[in-house]
Structure formats: structure tokens, C-alpha cells
Amino acid sequence: ILASTKPDDLILDPFNGSGTTGVVAKKMGRKYIGIELNKEYLKLSKARLKNVWYILILDIYYYSIYTYRRSLN
């Protein structure tokens, strides 16, 4: 996603599955359309996408701790 798109680009995933592409797209500031026929995967994908901001905050938090700890050495 980072290598082939810019922020605000639209990403189409015709085989959405559990929504991993959508999660990464949202975390990287891209727009996203996922297509999935299986209703169970669709439910899973929706739940994951609702939690993207929570995941992003945790990523920033853990990265900050990691960076801080590396600066102590």
C-alpha cells in the first residue's frame, strides 16, 4: 500500500476476507472499498475496521515506548 499509493488514494480489494487490507489502508490514510461474499468474513471485517483508531493509538503508544527505551541505551 505504501509503495503504490499516496494518502487519500482509493484502494479496492475485491476479495476482502478479514479486512487486513482495509485496516492497513485506514491506518495509512487511504480510502478503502472491500468486496466480500461471505457474511461471516464481512462481520469480522466490519468489527476490525471499527477498531482501527484504537489500534492506531496503541501502535503510536508502543512505538513511543520503543523509541524512548532505545534512546536510553
Side-chain angles (χ1 to χ4, degrees), residues 4-58:
S4 59
T5 64
K6 298 175 192 152
D8 288 326
D9 278 356
L10 177 64
I11 296 170
L12 174 65
D13 185 358
F15 305 101
N16 189 55
S18 63
T20 301
T21 302
V23 169
V24 174
K26 288 190 94 175
K27 286 172 72 173
M28 298 299 144
R30 276 60 170 177
K31 297 173 187 156
Y32 172 74
I33 297 174
I35 300 170
E36 181 56 55
L37 296 176
N38 185 307
K39 289 182 182 182
E40 293 304 313
Y41 277 119
L42 184 59
K43 287 179 190 176
L44 176 60
S45 179
K46 284 181 178 182
R48 289 185 71 196
L49 288 169
K50 283 182 183 177
N51 292 323
V52 168
W53 293 115
Y54 174 71
I55 292 167
L56 184 57
I57 289 168
L58 282 178

